[in-house]
Tab-separated table of all heavy atoms in Angstrom:
chain	number	residue	atom	x	y	z
N	1	MET	N	-6.067	-15.449	24.239
N	1	MET	CA	-5.946	-16.250	23.014
N	1	MET	C	-6.140	-15.351	21.793
N	1	MET	O	-7.170	-15.359	21.159
N	1	MET	CB	-7.004	-17.356	23.018
N	1	MET	CG	-6.823	-18.371	24.125
N	1	MET	SD	-5.720	-19.714	23.677
N	1	MET	CE	-6.823	-20.723	22.667
N	2	LYS	N	-5.141	-14.568	21.565
N	2	LYS	CA	-5.272	-13.652	20.445
N	2	LYS	C	-4.115	-13.871	19.485
N	2	LYS	O	-2.960	-13.857	19.901
N	2	LYS	CB	-5.258	-12.211	20.961
N	2	LYS	CG	-6.133	-11.289	20.165
N	2	LYS	CD	-6.137	-9.932	20.835
N	2	LYS	CE	-6.882	-8.935	19.953
N	2	LYS	NZ	-6.799	-7.590	20.490
N	3	GLN	N	-4.465	-14.083	18.272
N	3	GLN	CA	-3.420	-14.242	17.272
N	3	GLN	C	-3.231	-12.946	16.516
N	3	GLN	O	-4.186	-12.374	16.022
N	3	GLN	CB	-3.777	-15.360	16.307
N	3	GLN	CG	-3.090	-16.663	16.662
N	3	GLN	CD	-3.243	-17.670	15.558
N	3	GLN	OE1	-4.263	-17.695	14.890
N	3	GLN	NE2	-2.260	-18.496	15.363
N	4	PHE	N	-2.003	-12.547	16.485
N	4	PHE	CA	-1.729	-11.292	15.806
N	4	PHE	C	-0.797	-11.544	14.630
N	4	PHE	O	0.322	-11.987	14.803
N	4	PHE	CB	-1.093	-10.300	16.778
N	4	PHE	CG	-1.292	-8.885	16.385
N	4	PHE	CD1	-2.452	-8.217	16.726
N	4	PHE	CD2	-0.330	-8.218	15.635
N	4	PHE	CE1	-2.649	-6.902	16.355
N	4	PHE	CE2	-0.526	-6.907	15.263
N	4	PHE	CZ	-1.687	-6.254	15.613
N	5	GLU	N	-1.277	-11.275	13.472
N	5	GLU	CA	-0.453	-11.486	12.291
N	5	GLU	C	0.090	-10.159	11.795
N	5	GLU	O	-0.646	-9.213	11.601
N	5	GLU	CB	-1.268	-12.151	11.189
N	5	GLU	CG	-1.585	-13.587	11.531
N	5	GLU	CD	-2.284	-14.266	10.382
N	5	GLU	OE1	-2.114	-13.812	9.244
N	5	GLU	OE2	-3.009	-15.230	10.629
N	6	GLN	N	1.371	-10.138	11.601
N	6	GLN	CA	2.013	-8.897	11.182
N	6	GLN	C	2.062	-8.800	9.660
N	6	GLN	O	3.093	-8.499	9.089
N	6	GLN	CB	3.428	-8.833	11.760
N	6	GLN	CG	3.470	-8.466	13.231
N	6	GLN	CD	3.360	-6.972	13.446
N	6	GLN	OE1	2.962	-6.231	12.552
N	6	GLN	NE2	3.691	-6.511	14.626
N	7	MET	N	0.970	-9.062	9.043
N	7	MET	CA	0.951	-8.944	7.588
N	7	MET	C	0.560	-7.537	7.189
N	7	MET	O	-0.268	-6.916	7.832
N	7	MET	CB	-0.040	-9.929	6.971
N	7	MET	CG	0.482	-11.351	6.978
N	7	MET	SD	-0.662	-12.456	6.163
N	7	MET	CE	-0.639	-11.791	4.513
N	8	GLU	N	1.149	-7.082	6.125
N	8	GLU	CA	0.845	-5.737	5.669
N	8	GLU	C	-0.261	-5.752	4.635
N	8	GLU	O	-0.323	-4.895	3.772
N	8	GLU	CB	2.093	-5.076	5.092
N	8	GLU	CG	2.958	-4.480	6.171
N	8	GLU	CD	3.603	-3.193	5.720
N	8	GLU	OE1	2.863	-2.245	5.404
N	8	GLU	OE2	4.828	-3.134	5.670
N	9	ALA	N	-1.085	-6.765	4.688
N	9	ALA	CA	-2.181	-6.831	3.733
N	9	ALA	C	-3.266	-5.847	4.135
N	9	ALA	O	-3.663	-5.785	5.279
N	9	ALA	CB	-2.745	-8.234	3.687
N	10	SER	N	-3.718	-5.083	3.169
N	10	SER	CA	-4.798	-4.163	3.445
N	10	SER	C	-5.700	-4.121	2.220
N	10	SER	O	-5.365	-4.647	1.164
N	10	SER	CB	-4.259	-2.769	3.772
N	10	SER	OG	-3.414	-2.326	2.744
N	11	LEU	N	-6.841	-3.516	2.400
N	11	LEU	CA	-7.790	-3.428	1.308
N	11	LEU	C	-7.788	-2.025	0.727
N	11	LEU	O	-7.839	-1.055	1.451
N	11	LEU	CB	-9.203	-3.762	1.795
N	11	LEU	CG	-9.423	-5.200	2.253
N	11	LEU	CD1	-10.816	-5.340	2.819
N	11	LEU	CD2	-9.214	-6.164	1.108
N	12	LEU	N	-7.723	-1.967	-0.579
N	12	LEU	CA	-7.832	-0.689	-1.265
N	12	LEU	C	-8.849	-0.842	-2.386
N	12	LEU	O	-9.009	-1.920	-2.961
N	12	LEU	CB	-6.496	-0.263	-1.867
N	12	LEU	CG	-5.485	0.399	-0.951
N	12	LEU	CD1	-4.268	0.811	-1.744
N	12	LEU	CD2	-6.079	1.605	-0.264
N	13	PHE	N	-9.488	0.249	-2.693
N	13	PHE	CA	-10.456	0.200	-3.774
N	13	PHE	C	-9.735	0.078	-5.106
N	13	PHE	O	-8.882	0.899	-5.452
N	13	PHE	CB	-11.330	1.453	-3.761
N	13	PHE	CG	-12.390	1.423	-4.828
N	13	PHE	CD1	-13.569	0.728	-4.608
N	13	PHE	CD2	-12.202	2.052	-6.038
N	13	PHE	CE1	-14.544	0.681	-5.592
N	13	PHE	CE2	-13.163	2.012	-7.027
N	13	PHE	CZ	-14.335	1.321	-6.797
N	14	CYS	N	-10.086	-0.937	-5.866
N	14	CYS	CA	-9.487	-1.133	-7.176
N	14	CYS	C	-10.450	-0.618	-8.243
N	14	CYS	O	-11.613	-1.026	-8.274
N	14	CYS	CB	-9.200	-2.619	-7.400
N	14	CYS	SG	-8.680	-2.973	-9.085
N	15	PRO	N	-9.992	0.279	-9.103
N	15	PRO	CA	-10.874	0.854	-10.127
N	15	PRO	C	-11.305	-0.168	-11.167
N	15	PRO	O	-12.327	0.020	-11.819
N	15	PRO	CB	-10.024	1.967	-10.760
N	15	PRO	CG	-8.618	1.635	-10.406
N	15	PRO	CD	-8.648	0.870	-9.125
N	16	LYS	N	-10.539	-1.214	-11.318
N	16	LYS	CA	-10.880	-2.214	-12.321
N	16	LYS	C	-11.872	-3.240	-11.779
N	16	LYS	O	-12.843	-3.593	-12.432
N	16	LYS	CB	-9.605	-2.924	-12.793
N	16	LYS	CG	-9.639	-3.302	-14.250
N	16	LYS	CD	-8.244	-3.702	-14.700
N	16	LYS	CE	-8.184	-3.765	-16.212
N	16	LYS	NZ	-6.832	-4.091	-16.676
N	17	CYS	N	-11.592	-3.726	-10.577
N	17	CYS	CA	-12.492	-4.692	-9.937
N	17	CYS	C	-13.736	-4.006	-9.376
N	17	CYS	O	-14.730	-4.649	-9.091
N	17	CYS	CB	-11.782	-5.425	-8.807
N	17	CYS	SG	-10.332	-6.351	-9.312
N	18	LYS	N	-13.669	-2.694	-9.222
N	18	LYS	CA	-14.755	-1.899	-8.658
N	18	LYS	C	-15.160	-2.361	-7.263
N	18	LYS	O	-16.331	-2.368	-6.901
N	18	LYS	CB	-15.975	-1.891	-9.589
N	18	LYS	CG	-15.669	-1.343	-10.952
N	18	LYS	CD	-16.933	-0.790	-11.586
N	18	LYS	CE	-16.713	-0.446	-13.045
N	18	LYS	NZ	-15.678	0.562	-13.253
N	19	GLU	N	-14.173	-2.764	-6.509
N	19	GLU	CA	-14.404	-3.101	-5.110
N	19	GLU	C	-13.075	-3.029	-4.376
N	19	GLU	O	-12.019	-2.947	-4.997
N	19	GLU	CB	-15.019	-4.491	-4.983
N	19	GLU	CG	-14.099	-5.569	-5.519
N	19	GLU	CD	-14.699	-6.950	-5.328
N	19	GLU	OE1	-15.651	-7.077	-4.566
N	19	GLU	OE2	-14.186	-7.889	-5.940
N	20	ALA	N	-13.168	-3.087	-3.064
N	20	ALA	CA	-11.952	-3.099	-2.263
N	20	ALA	C	-11.341	-4.488	-2.317
N	20	ALA	O	-11.999	-5.475	-2.025
N	20	ALA	CB	-12.261	-2.709	-0.825
N	21	THR	N	-10.093	-4.546	-2.726
N	21	THR	CA	-9.423	-5.826	-2.887
N	21	THR	C	-8.127	-5.841	-2.086
N	21	THR	O	-7.569	-4.784	-1.797
N	21	THR	CB	-9.086	-6.066	-4.372
N	21	THR	OG1	-8.262	-4.999	-4.824
N	21	THR	CG2	-10.337	-6.135	-5.219
N	22	PRO	N	-7.661	-7.025	-1.736
N	22	PRO	CA	-6.354	-7.112	-1.069
N	22	PRO	C	-5.255	-6.640	-1.999
N	22	PRO	O	-5.296	-6.903	-3.204
N	22	PRO	CB	-6.187	-8.608	-0.766
N	22	PRO	CG	-7.488	-9.241	-1.027
N	22	PRO	CD	-8.266	-8.341	-1.926
N	23	VAL	N	-4.299	-5.943	-1.443
N	23	VAL	CA	-3.234	-5.387	-2.271
N	23	VAL	C	-1.886	-5.932	-1.834
N	23	VAL	O	-1.700	-6.332	-0.690
N	23	VAL	CB	-3.203	-3.850	-2.205
N	23	VAL	CG1	-4.378	-3.261	-2.927
N	23	VAL	CG2	-3.145	-3.366	-0.779
N	24	ARG	N	-0.997	-5.948	-2.780
N	24	ARG	CA	0.386	-6.280	-2.488
N	24	ARG	C	1.222	-5.017	-2.548
N	24	ARG	O	1.018	-4.167	-3.414
N	24	ARG	CB	0.904	-7.298	-3.508
N	24	ARG	CG	0.593	-8.719	-3.125
N	24	ARG	CD	1.050	-9.649	-4.205
N	24	ARG	NE	0.317	-9.415	-5.443
N	24	ARG	CZ	0.308	-10.246	-6.472
N	24	ARG	NH1	0.979	-11.357	-6.403
N	24	ARG	NH2	-0.379	-9.981	-7.564
N	25	LYS	N	2.154	-4.929	-1.619
N	25	LYS	CA	3.007	-3.758	-1.541
N	25	LYS	C	4.245	-4.001	-2.388
N	25	LYS	O	4.863	-5.059	-2.305
N	25	LYS	CB	3.385	-3.565	-0.079
N	25	LYS	CG	3.933	-2.230	0.273
N	25	LYS	CD	4.189	-2.244	1.772
N	25	LYS	CE	4.832	-0.964	2.221
N	25	LYS	NZ	5.174	-1.039	3.639
N	26	ARG	N	4.564	-3.018	-3.197
N	26	ARG	CA	5.709	-3.177	-4.090
N	26	ARG	C	6.575	-1.937	-4.020
N	26	ARG	O	6.081	-0.825	-4.215
N	26	ARG	CB	5.203	-3.401	-5.520
N	26	ARG	CG	6.286	-3.769	-6.496
N	26	ARG	CD	5.698	-4.018	-7.850
N	26	ARG	NE	5.129	-2.791	-8.408
N	26	ARG	CZ	4.450	-2.740	-9.552
N	26	ARG	NH1	4.192	-3.840	-10.205
N	26	ARG	NH2	4.000	-1.597	-10.000
N	27	LEU	N	7.844	-2.139	-3.762
N	27	LEU	CA	8.755	-0.998	-3.696
N	27	LEU	C	8.939	-0.422	-5.087
N	27	LEU	O	9.304	-1.127	-6.034
N	27	LEU	CB	10.096	-1.436	-3.104
N	27	LEU	CG	11.158	-0.335	-2.989
N	27	LEU	CD1	10.691	0.757	-2.039
N	27	LEU	CD2	12.465	-0.917	-2.499
N	28	LEU	N	8.666	0.850	-5.213
N	28	LEU	CA	8.712	1.486	-6.530
N	28	LEU	C	9.975	2.326	-6.696
N	28	LEU	O	10.692	2.183	-7.678
N	28	LEU	CB	7.464	2.355	-6.697
N	28	LEU	CG	7.243	2.952	-8.074
N	28	LEU	CD1	6.899	1.854	-9.072
N	28	LEU	CD2	6.126	3.976	-8.028
N	29	LEU	N	10.219	3.187	-5.736
N	29	LEU	CA	11.333	4.121	-5.844
N	29	LEU	C	11.949	4.335	-4.468
N	29	LEU	O	11.258	4.281	-3.467
N	29	LEU	CB	10.853	5.484	-6.329
N	29	LEU	CG	10.525	5.711	-7.791
N	29	LEU	CD1	9.887	7.089	-7.915
N	29	LEU	CD2	11.762	5.647	-8.634
N	30	VAL	N	13.212	4.604	-4.476
N	30	VAL	CA	13.857	5.057	-3.243
N	30	VAL	C	14.193	6.525	-3.422
N	30	VAL	O	15.001	6.897	-4.262
N	30	VAL	CB	15.125	4.242	-2.935
N	30	VAL	CG1	15.779	4.752	-1.659
N	30	VAL	CG2	14.789	2.771	-2.790
N	31	LEU	N	13.510	7.343	-2.653
N	31	LEU	CA	13.710	8.784	-2.740
N	31	LEU	C	14.593	9.248	-1.593
N	31	LEU	O	14.852	8.501	-0.656
N	31	LEU	CB	12.358	9.509	-2.665
N	31	LEU	CG	11.295	9.014	-3.635
N	31	LEU	CD1	9.935	9.551	-3.229
N	31	LEU	CD2	11.633	9.467	-5.041
N	32	SER	N	14.992	10.495	-1.674
N	32	SER	CA	15.843	11.024	-0.612
N	32	SER	C	15.066	11.130	0.692
N	32	SER	O	15.616	10.989	1.771
N	32	SER	CB	16.392	12.388	-1.006
N	32	SER	OG	15.346	13.254	-1.373
N	33	GLU	N	13.758	11.369	0.583
N	33	GLU	CA	12.979	11.539	1.809
N	33	GLU	C	12.353	10.241	2.299
N	33	GLU	O	11.759	10.196	3.349
N	33	GLU	CB	11.879	12.582	1.589
N	33	GLU	CG	10.721	12.060	0.763
N	33	GLU	CD	10.548	12.836	-0.520
N	33	GLU	OE1	11.589	13.274	-1.066
N	33	GLU	OE2	9.414	12.991	-0.964
N	34	GLY	N	12.468	9.187	1.521
N	34	GLY	CA	11.869	7.930	1.950
N	34	GLY	C	11.736	6.968	0.790
N	34	GLY	O	12.354	7.132	-0.254
N	35	GLU	N	10.893	5.950	0.990
N	35	GLU	CA	10.695	4.960	-0.056
N	35	GLU	C	9.265	5.035	-0.553
N	35	GLU	O	8.320	5.139	0.228
N	35	GLU	CB	10.977	3.557	0.487
N	35	GLU	CG	12.430	3.370	0.848
N	35	GLU	CD	12.670	2.063	1.560
N	35	GLU	OE1	11.787	1.632	2.330
N	35	GLU	OE2	13.739	1.468	1.342
N	36	LYS	N	9.111	4.952	-1.858
N	36	LYS	CA	7.788	5.014	-2.446
N	36	LYS	C	7.320	3.612	-2.810
N	36	LYS	O	8.032	2.860	-3.467
N	36	LYS	CB	7.785	5.896	-3.693
N	36	LYS	CG	6.390	6.046	-4.251
N	36	LYS	CD	6.327	7.089	-5.330
N	36	LYS	CE	4.886	7.305	-5.732
N	36	LYS	NZ	4.747	8.241	-6.819
N	37	PHE	N	6.112	3.287	-2.350
N	37	PHE	CA	5.548	1.978	-2.598
N	37	PHE	C	4.296	2.088	-3.463
N	37	PHE	O	3.525	3.034	-3.336
N	37	PHE	CB	5.166	1.302	-1.275
N	37	PHE	CG	6.345	0.937	-0.427
N	37	PHE	CD1	6.832	1.819	0.517
N	37	PHE	CD2	6.960	-0.287	-0.572
N	37	PHE	CE1	7.930	1.491	1.304
N	37	PHE	CE2	8.055	-0.636	0.207
N	37	PHE	CZ	8.538	0.263	1.149
N	38	ASP	N	4.142	1.086	-4.284
N	38	ASP	CA	2.888	0.903	-4.999
N	38	ASP	C	2.070	-0.155	-4.298
N	38	ASP	O	2.615	-1.112	-3.767
N	38	ASP	CB	3.169	0.413	-6.423
N	38	ASP	CG	3.123	1.522	-7.436
N	38	ASP	OD1	2.823	2.665	-7.056
N	38	ASP	OD2	3.380	1.240	-8.610
N	39	TYR	N	0.759	0.013	-4.333
N	39	TYR	CA	-0.129	-1.040	-3.870
N	39	TYR	C	-0.825	-1.625	-5.079
N	39	TYR	O	-1.554	-0.931	-5.775
N	39	TYR	CB	-1.138	-0.494	-2.864
N	39	TYR	CG	-0.495	-0.137	-1.546
N	39	TYR	CD1	-0.233	1.178	-1.209
N	39	TYR	CD2	-0.140	-1.142	-0.657
N	39	TYR	CE1	0.368	1.489	-0.003
N	39	TYR	CE2	0.461	-0.838	0.551
N	39	TYR	CZ	0.702	0.476	0.872
N	39	TYR	OH	1.297	0.790	2.059
N	40	VAL	N	-0.594	-2.906	-5.299
N	40	VAL	CA	-1.084	-3.559	-6.502
N	40	VAL	C	-2.200	-4.514	-6.129
N	40	VAL	O	-2.055	-5.338	-5.221
N	40	VAL	CB	0.064	-4.325	-7.203
N	40	VAL	CG1	-0.425	-4.981	-8.474
N	40	VAL	CG2	1.214	-3.386	-7.494
N	41	CYS	N	-3.311	-4.402	-6.829
N	41	CYS	CA	-4.446	-5.307	-6.626
N	41	CYS	C	-3.995	-6.744	-6.864
N	41	CYS	O	-3.403	-7.058	-7.900
N	41	CYS	CB	-5.569	-4.925	-7.584
N	41	CYS	SG	-6.928	-6.102	-7.599
N	42	SER	N	-4.288	-7.625	-5.907
N	42	SER	CA	-3.840	-9.009	-6.047
N	42	SER	C	-4.752	-9.795	-6.981
N	42	SER	O	-4.460	-10.935	-7.303
N	42	SER	CB	-3.783	-9.685	-4.678
N	42	SER	OG	-5.050	-9.714	-4.093
N	43	HIS	N	-5.861	-9.200	-7.402
N	43	HIS	CA	-6.755	-9.887	-8.336
N	43	HIS	C	-6.360	-9.623	-9.782
N	43	HIS	O	-6.248	-10.547	-10.578
N	43	HIS	CB	-8.201	-9.447	-8.117
N	43	HIS	CG	-8.745	-9.911	-6.801
N	43	HIS	ND1	-10.015	-9.600	-6.374
N	43	HIS	CD2	-8.182	-10.652	-5.822
N	43	HIS	CE1	-10.197	-10.150	-5.179
N	43	HIS	NE2	-9.115	-10.782	-4.832
N	44	CYS	N	-6.163	-8.359	-10.113
N	44	CYS	CA	-5.963	-8.024	-11.520
N	44	CYS	C	-4.633	-7.338	-11.783
N	44	CYS	O	-4.256	-7.140	-12.922
N	44	CYS	CB	-7.109	-7.139	-12.017
N	44	CYS	SG	-7.098	-5.506	-11.286
N	45	GLY	N	-3.905	-6.965	-10.750
N	45	GLY	CA	-2.588	-6.379	-10.950
N	45	GLY	C	-2.591	-4.888	-11.187
N	45	GLY	O	-1.546	-4.302	-11.458
N	46	THR	N	-3.761	-4.252	-11.076
N	46	THR	CA	-3.812	-2.811	-11.245
N	46	THR	C	-3.268	-2.109	-10.002
N	46	THR	O	-3.524	-2.537	-8.885
N	46	THR	CB	-5.272	-2.371	-11.482
N	46	THR	OG1	-5.734	-2.961	-12.682
N	46	THR	CG2	-5.387	-0.863	-11.577
N	47	VAL	N	-2.528	-1.048	-10.232
N	47	VAL	CA	-2.052	-0.250	-9.109
N	47	VAL	C	-3.227	0.537	-8.547
N	47	VAL	O	-3.822	1.364	-9.233
N	47	VAL	CB	-0.926	0.702	-9.543
N	47	VAL	CG1	-0.518	1.612	-8.398
N	47	VAL	CG2	0.277	-0.082	-10.048
N	48	SER	N	-3.586	0.275	-7.307
N	48	SER	CA	-4.747	0.949	-6.730
N	48	SER	C	-4.350	1.997	-5.706
N	48	SER	O	-5.216	2.642	-5.132
N	48	SER	CB	-5.704	-0.073	-6.116
N	48	SER	OG	-5.013	-0.992	-5.321
N	49	GLY	N	-3.066	2.181	-5.471
N	49	GLY	CA	-2.657	3.223	-4.545
N	49	GLY	C	-1.155	3.267	-4.421
N	49	GLY	O	-0.443	2.386	-4.890
N	50	ASP	N	-0.682	4.324	-3.814
N	50	ASP	CA	0.740	4.401	-3.535
N	50	ASP	C	0.970	5.171	-2.260
N	50	ASP	O	0.073	5.838	-1.752
N	50	ASP	CB	1.505	5.034	-4.699
N	50	ASP	CG	1.054	6.440	-4.981
N	50	ASP	OD1	1.225	7.312	-4.104
N	50	ASP	OD2	0.521	6.687	-6.063
N	51	LYS	N	2.167	5.058	-1.749
N	51	LYS	CA	2.475	5.688	-0.476
N	51	LYS	C	3.962	5.937	-0.411
N	51	LYS	O	4.749	5.148	-0.907
N	51	LYS	CB	2.030	4.780	0.664
N	51	LYS	CG	2.224	5.365	2.025
N	51	LYS	CD	1.597	4.490	3.061
N	51	LYS	CE	2.670	3.664	3.747
N	51	LYS	NZ	2.128	2.905	4.877
N	52	VAL	N	4.327	7.056	0.188
N	52	VAL	CA	5.733	7.326	0.456
N	52	VAL	C	5.955	7.139	1.950
N	52	VAL	O	5.303	7.784	2.763
N	52	VAL	CB	6.136	8.746	0.029
N	52	VAL	CG1	7.575	9.027	0.451
N	52	VAL	CG2	5.979	8.923	-1.462
N	53	GLU	N	6.825	6.218	2.267
N	53	GLU	CA	7.174	5.993	3.667
N	53	GLU	C	8.440	6.752	3.975
N	53	GLU	O	9.504	6.455	3.460
N	53	GLU	CB	7.359	4.500	3.927
N	53	GLU	CG	6.052	3.798	4.143
N	53	GLU	CD	6.249	2.348	4.577
N	53	GLU	OE1	7.393	1.957	4.849
N	53	GLU	OE2	5.246	1.645	4.627
N	54	ARG	N	8.296	7.732	4.814
N	54	ARG	CA	9.453	8.541	5.164
N	54	ARG	C	10.151	7.973	6.363
N	54	ARG	O	9.578	7.188	7.107
N	54	ARG	CB	9.010	9.975	5.447
N	54	ARG	CG	8.353	10.588	4.233
N	54	ARG	CD	7.754	11.936	4.603
N	54	ARG	NE	6.926	12.411	3.502
N	54	ARG	CZ	7.172	13.532	2.831
N	54	ARG	NH1	8.193	14.267	3.154
N	54	ARG	NH2	6.377	13.908	1.863
N	55	SER	N	11.359	8.438	6.562
N	55	SER	CA	12.128	7.944	7.701
N	55	SER	C	11.520	8.417	9.007
N	55	SER	O	11.504	7.706	9.987
N	55	SER	CB	13.581	8.396	7.609
N	55	SER	OG	13.817	9.019	6.370
N	56	ALA	N	11.003	9.650	9.012
N	56	ALA	CA	10.358	10.158	10.208
N	56	ALA	C	8.929	9.631	10.280
N	56	ALA	O	8.150	9.827	9.361
N	56	ALA	CB	10.331	11.682	10.186
N	57	PRO	N	8.583	8.944	11.377
N	57	PRO	CA	7.255	8.311	11.481
N	57	PRO	C	6.114	9.309	11.527
N	57	PRO	O	4.975	8.946	11.277
N	57	PRO	CB	7.345	7.499	12.783
N	57	PRO	CG	8.557	7.985	13.499
N	57	PRO	CD	9.444	8.664	12.493
N	58	ASN	N	6.396	10.568	11.825
N	58	ASN	CA	5.344	11.573	11.895
N	58	ASN	C	4.896	12.043	10.518
N	58	ASN	O	3.836	12.619	10.368
N	58	ASN	CB	5.824	12.791	12.678
N	58	ASN	CG	5.829	12.535	14.174
N	58	ASN	OD1	5.193	11.579	14.627
N	58	ASN	ND2	6.548	13.344	14.916
N	59	GLN	N	5.715	11.787	9.549
N	59	GLN	CA	5.506	12.421	8.245
N	59	GLN	C	4.857	11.505	7.222
N	59	GLN	O	5.080	11.663	6.045
N	59	GLN	CB	6.839	12.917	7.713
N	59	GLN	CG	7.520	13.920	8.609
N	59	GLN	CD	7.023	15.326	8.369
N	59	GLN	OE1	6.426	15.592	7.352
N	59	GLN	NE2	7.239	16.224	9.304
N	60	LEU	N	4.106	10.524	7.676
N	60	LEU	CA	3.465	9.611	6.734
N	60	LEU	C	2.378	10.326	5.945
N	60	LEU	O	1.508	10.980	6.519
N	60	LEU	CB	2.843	8.423	7.469
N	60	LEU	CG	3.838	7.332	7.862
N	60	LEU	CD1	3.096	6.219	8.589
N	60	LEU	CD2	4.530	6.760	6.646
N	61	THR	N	2.461	10.195	4.628
N	61	THR	CA	1.440	10.828	3.808
N	61	THR	C	0.875	9.818	2.809
N	61	THR	O	1.333	9.738	1.685
N	61	THR	CB	2.016	12.015	3.025
N	61	THR	OG1	3.229	11.593	2.403
N	61	THR	CG2	2.288	13.198	3.929
N	62	PRO	N	-0.077	9.032	3.257
N	62	PRO	CA	-0.701	8.094	2.317
N	62	PRO	C	-1.568	8.819	1.316
N	62	PRO	O	-2.209	9.825	1.629
N	62	PRO	CB	-1.558	7.196	3.229
N	62	PRO	CG	-1.636	7.864	4.537
N	62	PRO	CD	-0.681	9.039	4.559
N	63	SER	N	-1.573	8.338	0.113
N	63	SER	CA	-2.400	8.955	-0.917
N	63	SER	C	-2.956	7.874	-1.809
N	63	SER	O	-2.271	6.913	-2.140
N	63	SER	CB	-1.573	9.937	-1.738
N	63	SER	OG	-0.572	9.259	-2.451
N	64	ARG	N	-4.216	8.018	-2.155
N	64	ARG	CA	-4.790	7.084	-3.130
N	64	ARG	C	-5.555	7.875	-4.169
N	64	ARG	O	-6.047	8.960	-3.920
N	64	ARG	CB	-5.795	6.112	-2.529
N	64	ARG	CG	-5.643	5.824	-1.112
N	64	ARG	CD	-6.790	4.949	-0.729
N	64	ARG	NE	-6.924	4.936	0.718
N	64	ARG	CZ	-7.919	4.363	1.369
N	64	ARG	NH1	-8.874	3.802	0.688
N	64	ARG	NH2	-7.990	4.392	2.660
N	65	PHE	N	-5.653	7.264	-5.295
N	65	PHE	CA	-6.387	7.902	-6.383
N	65	PHE	C	-7.445	6.950	-6.883
N	65	PHE	O	-7.232	5.797	-7.033
N	65	PHE	CB	-5.448	8.275	-7.504
N	65	PHE	CG	-4.291	9.137	-7.033
N	65	PHE	CD1	-3.027	8.604	-6.938
N	65	PHE	CD2	-4.516	10.444	-6.679
N	65	PHE	CE1	-1.968	9.379	-6.513
N	65	PHE	CE2	-3.465	11.233	-6.258
N	65	PHE	CZ	-2.185	10.684	-6.167
T	1	ZN	ZN1	-8.360	-5.291	-9.265
């Protein structure tokens, strides 16, 4: 009896809320090497992180500031 939800909701530290908040993923740019996403705080709308998703699954490079 296990429910598995395929939601991409995750928690990131928001500099404005000063806590880890749920983020929404937003497509920012389509680059030649992949797609760049912003993670936006669902509380205040501040961008709390970004990530480039490359076509090759080995090359994931998440970055947060
Ligand atoms: Zn926030």
Side-chain angles (χ1 to χ4, degrees):
M1 295 273 281
K2 214 175 173 186
Q3 262 191 326
F4 204 84
E5 289 185 24
Q6 283 278 16
M7 285 183 63
E8 277 216 61
S10 54
L11 294 175
L12 279 183
F13 182 82
C14 172
K16 215 167 193 177
C17 300
K18 301 205 190 300
E19 62 177 345
T21 58
V23 289
R24 274 176 296 194
K25 196 178 176 185
R26 188 178 66 185
L27 179 63
L28 188 69
L29 283 172
V30 179
L31 308 166
S32 54
E33 75 241 34
E35 294 172 325
K36 184 170 187 183
F37 292 91
D38 261 357
Y39 289 103
V40 181
C41 172
S42 61
H43 292 178
C44 68
T46 297
V47 175
S48 47
D50 61 64
K51 183 172 101 173
V52 175
E53 278 187 8
R54 300 172 190 242
S55 353
N58 283 343
Q59 300 276 343
L60 280 180
T61 48
S63 65
R64 334 175 196 173
F65 305 107

